[in-house]
Amino acid sequence: MKTTAARGSLAGLLVIWGLTRTALLLYVLKVIVFPGPDVTSDVSVIYRGWYDVLSTGTFPLDDVTWQYPPAAALAILSPGLLPFLEYATAFFLLAFVADLVTLTLLLHAGRGTGRTRRGAWVWVAGVPLLGPTVYARYDVMVTAVAVAALLAGVRHPRVMGALVGFGALVKVWPALLLLAVRERGAWVSAVVTAGGVAALFAVLMPGAFAFLGFQRDRGTEVESLGALVFHVARHHGWEGEVLLNYGSVEFLGPYVSWVSTGALFLTGAALAWLVLWRVLASRFEAHTVADAAFVGVLMFTVTSRVISPQYMVWLVGVAAVCLCFRGSRMGVPVGMVLVACLVTVLEFPVWFAHVVASDALGISLLVLRNGLLVVATLVAARVVWRTSVAERRVIPVASGTARASEAPVSS
């Protein structure tokens, strides 16, 4: 009976995945029109323009919207693997393949003692909640690498390190996956891989690190946590404006630099907390690496001065890995992230005009989405701390004296 039920559950999962992904492809191919602004223009216009430049053997040296590490070029150039298709169509199909690879990894990870298919279900449900944006950005490809890295880390830390090193050269954030890794081999592998890939690009393609100077004058992106200050301030005489700046819609004007600096301070505080946790943590289980990675990505997403909708793909992927482990206690924050995904697709692209206008609907959506992420971050951090950091307790002994001991705190 158990085997039959498991097969039925797997069949249902695959059917839902197939139906939802077919819908996403129909949206990005414009067979069906999704509400709101066209999310595919980044691929057909911006990515295609970068492809033309990168194909010549150099990076976009004068394009301030190119703000990615050098290995991101591989994602932009990848549609060249399907030369018989138009660029955007090829990109969407490769995003679909990355989605399928991620699902396959999660299904494999859900087998065996102490494992569960909950992780695969999180991926199946979370991706379509974000709408067609998932297939219209290369973040799903990076997430596939990150998921592979986290799952490899259980038995093959060096492989994890290599994947993390490569992923960090594609979009930086996968470096956070090493937070709870204790094996020196993983760190060495990550550094060697990242260094090797970076050196290769530096030698072969001019401008590999020009992106480092392209974020100097950024404002605060309208969907970020800090942006709520200006959404409210616009109703009380604030004289700034909303502009397309550095490839995203941002607030520019008085006090924006203060809020941006505040965001950087919060990111630094988050990093300090993570370092403190790593120093004090003494109990590591199979799921601890994934749980800590989830907390780290949550913290850096929430405190960022940019929270683009595609950032949610990262969270869904890492959350899915957490729930592949039966012992993980991340169910509540993962649920909050999934609800935040649904709110995200409403604020972009469906009602993005309301967000840009800072009207009641737009502000409400941002308060709800960002509030969910903040609470999820606090809950997840508390779970990781309580399950891995031992506290000193005083235990009375027969002589009437007491001695201190360390015991892991249970939640």
Side-chain angles (χ1 to χ4, degrees):
M1 283 294 284
K2 247 184 177 182
T3 303
T4 304
R7 287 176 180 169
S9 174
L10 176 60
L13 182 149
L14 294 175
V15 168
I16 293 173
W17 183 88
L19 292 174
T20 54
R21 274 43 176 194
T22 299
L24 291 180
L25 283 174
L26 292 175
Y27 286 134
V28 293
L29 294 173
K30 299 181 182 178
V31 176
I32 303 175
V33 177
F34 198 81
D38 179 15
V39 300
T40 66
S41 60
D42 275 24
V43 176
S44 58
V45 178
I46 299 175
Y47 284 14
R48 179 56 202 259
W50 289 338
Y51 175 88
D52 291 338
V53 175
L54 292 166
S55 297
T56 67
T58 184
F59 283 88
L61 299 176
D62 301 317
D63 187 349
V64 295
T65 64
W66 175 263
Q67 299 172 13
Y68 308 105
L74 299 177
I76 304 303
L77 291 169
S78 62
L81 298 171
L82 304 174
F84 48 87
L85 293 175
E86 186 268 333
Y87 179 88
T89 302
F91 184 92
F92 300 144
L93 288 179
L94 290 173
F96 170 85
V97 171
D99 182 356
L100 177 59
V101 168
T102 305
L103 175 66
T104 303
L105 291 169
L106 291 167
L107 284 173
H108 180 73
R111 300 166 58 187
T113 306
R115 302 298 186 92
T116 171
R117 284 198 187 126
R118 291 187 305 162
W121 277 108
V122 168
W123 182 254
V124 169
V127 168
L129 287 177
L130 292 168
T133 304
V134 177
Y135 282 4
R137 304 290 187 274
Y138 80 85
D139 296 81
V140 67
M141 302 174 185
V142 185
T143 301
V145 175
V147 168
L150 280 174
L151 295 175
V154 178
R155 295 182 179 177
H156 307 287
R158 292 180 185 274
V159 175
M160 176 186 182
L163 289 170
V164 167
F166 174 74
L169 264 291
V170 179
K171 203 162 187 180
V172 181
W173 70 267
L176 296 169
L177 306 184
L178 288 175
L179 283 170
V181 176
R182 294 178 292 172
E183 292 81 0
R184 183 179 299 177
W187 285 85
V188 172
S189 179
V191 171
V192 170
T193 302
V197 173
L200 190 63
F201 275 104
V203 170
L204 297 179
M205 295 181 69
F209 297 97
F211 77 96
L212 293 173
F214 288 166
Q215 298 199 38
R216 191 175 302 129
D217 300 318
R218 290 207 67 159
T220 293
E221 193 257 350
V222 295
E223 296 166 90
S224 66
L225 181 64
L228 286 169
V229 173
F230 301 110
H231 281 294
V232 174
R234 292 177 81 183
H235 295 276
H236 298 278
W238 180 68
E239 297 179 353
E241 54 188 345
V242 176
L243 293 175
L244 181 63
N245 188 50
Y246 290 85
S248 65
V249 181
E250 299 180 349
F251 282 115
L252 297 173
Y255 311 112
V256 171
S257 62
W258 293 14
V259 172
S260 296
T261 301
L264 291 174
F265 174 80
L266 289 175
T267 299
L271 178 61
W273 185 93
L274 291 166
V275 170
L276 177 64
W277 167 80
R278 183 62 186 82
V279 169
L280 297 179
S282 59
R283 181 183 180 185
F284 290 82
E285 301 181 41
H287 56 82
T288 303
V289 171
D291 289 354
F294 182 50
V295 172
V297 177
L298 269 169
M299 285 185 168
F300 279 80
T301 299
V302 167
T303 60
S304 174
R305 54 184 173 172
V306 177
I307 305 182
S308 296
Q310 59 266 29
Y311 289 16
M312 300 298 295
V313 184
W314 316 344
L315 292 171
V316 172
V318 180
V321 177
C322 291
L323 294 198
C324 284
F325 298 94
R326 198 174 298 277
S328 176
R329 300 176 183 176
M330 289 294 167
V332 171
V334 168
M336 292 180 184
V337 166
L338 291 179
V339 176
C341 287
L342 177 58
V343 182
T344 297
V345 79
L346 295 178
E347 63 91 358
F348 183 89
V350 177
W351 287 320
F352 191 59
H354 294 275
V355 173
V356 174
S358 301
D359 63 19
L361 176 57
I363 294 176
S364 297
L365 289 171
L366 289 181
V367 168
L368 179 57
R369 195 280 300 273
N370 292 343
L372 283 166
L373 292 180
V374 169
V375 175
T377 302
L378 295 174
V379 172
R382 181 175 182 271
V383 169
V384 164
W385 187 279
R386 290 177 63 86
T387 56
S388 58
V389 175
E391 70 175 10
R392 296 184 66 82
R393 294 177 177 175
V394 176
I395 301 176
V397 293
S399 62
T401 61
R403 62 183 177 87
S405 70
E406 290 188 356
V409 181
S410 59
S411 59

